[in-house]
Amino acid sequence: MMVLLPVYHFGQEKAETSSLATLCYGGSRADLEVRNGRVCMTLPGPMPAVYEHWCPASLSEMPLRGNASGERRAGIEGGIGWSSEGDLFFAAFWVQDQPELCDAVQSHYERLITLARTKGFGHIYRMWNYLGAINRDNVRGEERYRDFCSGRSQAFEAMNVGLDELPAATGIGLSSGGVAVFLIAHRQVSGVNLENPSQLPAYHYPPRYGRRSPSFARATVMEGAERTVLYLSGTASIRGHESIGQTVEEQLSVTIETINSLLDAAGKRFSRLGNGRFESMKLYVRHAEDASTVRTAIAQAFPCPPDQAPLFIADICRAELLLEVEGVFVG
């Protein structure tokens, strides 16, 4: 069994010939194209750039990294860039910035899910959402993240995606622009979506958080014959549904506690996860002056190769939150 895992390079793009997609975090202009059978997406942000390559990995054989079997296919259809190989699928789109996001997000999400299903990859196991000015209000005075969440929720409902089918996801701010969304999916295998014992499922948040609740699971697990992979959703200092902590140190403590709570629960259900580590992480920090504190604390709490744990200065989905952490845990 194969899945997609990220590999990071810093400063300049390096060839990862097996990758289905390359994300460039950095630069002034949003972009989406397909080159040499690979989706190439640029998200505006500070330089030097961080490059994220989505590469095939085997959960059934040694070594971990490998090549997917099957013909490589790729294209752009209806503004969605996609690539596939064997059982693996990657797809992405941009929504141009506009006064309200809900309707455009819903229509793009519906087209994205339809494309994945039409190509034969109906099992979505991880999604990412990046929003320009995520904490600002739209023209109706509604926070843009909540505006986005309404469109996403309506799309899942229209496409008959049940709450237990919602995959792991991240929602983070961009320095500028509209909305960037990308996903990874599998042809044959559905992931197991997990919730965190210390948190209320996001899709059950009370109405104080918007017209529609956020639509994601806290993690998704893909299990093979030899390895198990947990894709951790963007995780912040939230207990139940309440934001906790005023300082970055307080929020770090709760974030680490929350990640451990999920890993402990996952390890009881999937035995290999009781003896694994993060192979990669992404750290999001609101204020640049907190970057060193966050990097040090996360590195002490969770062993992970340092060159596979990029840190980004970015706004978080709630204005009071100062950091968020996601990752790929392999056991």
Side-chain angles (χ1 to χ4, degrees):
M1 175 181 165
M2 305 291 290
V3 296
L4 287 171
L5 297 182
V7 176
Y8 294 98
H9 296 303
F10 298 83
Q12 61 181 12
E13 184 175 0
K14 296 181 181 179
E16 289 285 349
T17 56
S18 67
S19 68
L20 266 68
T22 296
L23 283 294
C24 173
Y25 299 88
S28 59
R29 186 173 65 90
D31 193 26
L32 176 64
E33 59 181 332
V34 172
R35 298 197 308 264
N36 301 319
R38 181 183 300 114
V39 177
C40 299
M41 189 177 202
T42 301
L43 285 73
M47 300 294 284
V50 176
Y51 292 90
E52 178 181 85
H53 305 276
W54 285 94
C55 302
S58 174
L59 303 187
S60 302
E61 300 174 355
M62 298 294 286
L64 176 61
R65 306 289 176 181
N67 293 302
S69 60
E71 180 184 356
R72 174 69 64 93
R73 298 181 179 179
I76 296 182
E77 299 181 29
I80 300 171
W82 65 274
S83 60
S84 68
E85 188 172 316
D87 290 331
L88 306 178
F89 183 78
F90 180 99
F93 67 74
W94 269 103
V95 173
Q96 294 298 315
D97 203 5
Q98 45 205 283
E100 293 184 57
L101 297 173
C102 179
D103 290 347
V105 167
Q106 179 177 354
S107 64
H108 278 74
Y109 248 84
E110 289 179 12
R111 294 206 306 271
L112 179 67
I113 295 168
T114 298
L115 178 68
R117 290 174 176 175
T118 300
K119 299 295 182 185
F121 300 90
H123 305 291
I124 299 169
Y125 57 97
R126 188 61 164 91
M127 302 191 76
W128 288 262
N129 310 273
Y130 292 88
L131 287 70
I134 190 172
N135 299 133
R136 294 182 190 170
D137 287 348
N138 65 16
V139 294
R140 294 193 302 106
E142 180 183 37
E143 186 187 53
R144 283 164 59 88
Y145 178 64
R146 298 182 181 196
D147 186 9
F148 160 83
C149 284
S150 293
R152 174 174 59 175
S153 174
Q154 289 168 190
F156 280 134
E157 184 176 282
M159 300 302 294
N160 297 311
V161 178
L163 296 181
D164 61 342
E165 298 175 284
L166 296 173
T170 294
I172 284 290
L174 279 178
S175 60
S176 63
V179 180
V181 174
F182 60 96
L183 63 75
I184 52 178
H186 201 275
R187 185 187 299 277
Q188 301 184 52
V189 179
S190 296
V192 178
N193 302 317
L194 303 181
E195 292 304 319
N196 193 319
S198 69
Q199 295 178 313
L200 184 71
Y203 46 79
H204 288 325
Y205 279 178
R208 61 185 273 195
Y209 296 104
R211 290 179 286 154
R212 293 269 188 149
S213 297
S215 305
F216 65 93
R218 300 297 182 182
T220 297
V221 172
M222 298 290 280
E223 188 170 34
E226 298 293 333
R227 298 184 185 86
T228 303
V229 176
L230 181 146
Y231 295 85
L232 176 70
S233 292
T235 303
S237 183
I238 296 173
R239 287 198 195 112
H241 59 81
E242 301 276 1
S243 300
I244 304 295
Q246 301 297 315
T247 69
V248 71
E249 290 82 6
E250 291 170 339
Q251 292 195 14
L252 264 168
S253 177
V254 176
T255 301
I256 292 168
E257 168 194 298
T258 300
I259 294 172
N260 279 323
S261 172
L262 189 142
L263 292 177
D264 288 346
K268 293 174 182 176
R269 185 167 178 182
F270 300 92
S271 59
R272 290 195 200 102
L273 295 178
N275 185 29
R277 73 164 190 176
F278 281 103
E279 293 295 331
S280 66
M281 303 185 86
K282 287 163 81 173
L283 317 179
Y284 304 99
V285 181
R286 185 178 292 274
H287 303 303
E289 60 266 28
D290 293 330
S292 178
T293 300
V294 171
R295 190 188 300 278
T296 300
I298 295 299
Q300 290 174 348
F302 304 109
C304 178
D307 63 347
Q308 296 302 303
L311 184 147
F312 302 91
I313 305 303
D315 291 336
I316 315 301
C317 63
R318 295 183 187 180
E320 68 273 15
L321 293 175
L322 303 176
L323 71 135
E324 184 165 315
V325 178
E326 65 171 81
V328 178
F329 190 91
V330 179

